[in-house]
Structure formats: structure tokens, C-alpha cells
Amino acid sequence: MARDEKEELLKGTLDMLILQTLTLQPMHGYAIAQHIERLSRDVLAVEQGSLKPALERLQKKAWLTTKWESSPTGRRARYYTLTPSGRRQLGAEINSFDRVLAAIQRVLQRA
């Protein structure tokens, strides 16, 4: 799918998707973006201009920690790790998202 055909993420969902991705293992930013795009079958685009501020915001809220390590290509990269409070926040965000999604489905339900 071409980059311009990918859907922009709904406001507030990027944080949830980042937190969910980091339940797997610590990752650097590019790997997080690639994981989200791959699992969405290239429907969702994660732009660096959105990803970096989101990662900084999550780190300031203590939902992520960071550590510099070597990436598989040998370059230094900042790896993000989910914290216990980040895991709790993810649960709350998923519950909220499920409620909103159910409400949207009710509105869109066709007779």
C-alpha cells in the first residue's frame, strides 16, 4: 500500500499502540513504527513527526524507560521499555478504547 494511502492514527490511539507494542520486548523507535505498520498490514502509518513526541510524552509520564544500546545494524539507538505503570495505563486505555469502539459500532449499525 502506498504511503499516501495509509490511514492516519486516530487521536490518542498512538500512545496505546506504542504501549501495546512494548509488551513484547524493548524496542527502538523505528522498530516500534515498523511493528505497528506490519501488524496493521500497512494500513496505519506511524510518522516520525508523531512517534518521537509520543515516546517523549510517555517517558515523561513514567510509562516508559529508555536505555541506549546497539541496534542489530550496529548503530546506537534508544530502546524503550514498558514500566509497570505503563502496563496499567495500557489496560485503562484499552478499556476506554473498547467502550468508544462499541459506541461507534452502535451508531453505525445498519437495520
Side-chain angles (χ1 to χ4, degrees):
M1 180 174 279
R3 177 61 108 186
D4 58 347
E5 293 177 15
K6 291 185 180 183
E7 298 295 325
E8 290 185 29
L9 293 173
L10 294 173
K11 185 176 181 176
T13 59
L14 180 57
D15 291 1
M16 179 179 58
L17 295 175
I18 291 169
L19 294 173
Q20 177 64 35
T21 297
L22 292 173
T23 63
L24 301 172
Q25 65 185 25
M27 292 184 199
H28 55 78
Y30 182 73
I32 293 168
Q34 291 299 304
H35 179 81
I36 293 168
E37 290 182 16
R38 185 174 54 254
L39 286 186
S40 75
R41 296 188 179 135
D42 290 323
V43 172
L44 302 176
V46 181
E47 303 295 334
Q48 288 298 316
S50 300
L51 181 64
K52 185 171 179 176
L55 290 168
E56 290 173 359
R57 182 174 57 252
L58 295 172
Q59 186 179 0
K60 283 181 185 173
K61 293 179 177 182
W63 296 340
L64 303 179
T65 59
T66 64
K67 180 169 58 169
W68 287 95
E69 295 182 19
S70 292
S71 72
T73 62
R75 302 178 83 182
R76 282 182 41 83
R78 186 182 309 240
Y79 278 74
Y80 297 87
T81 302
L82 186 64
T83 64
S85 63
R87 192 172 295 276
R88 285 190 299 276
Q89 180 61 28
L90 173 61
E93 290 193 20
I94 289 172
N95 287 337
S96 176
F97 184 80
D98 285 344
R99 282 192 312 276
V100 170
L101 187 57
I104 291 170
Q105 288 174 331
R106 286 190 301 272
V107 171
L108 294 178
Q109 190 171 22
R110 295 175 177 95

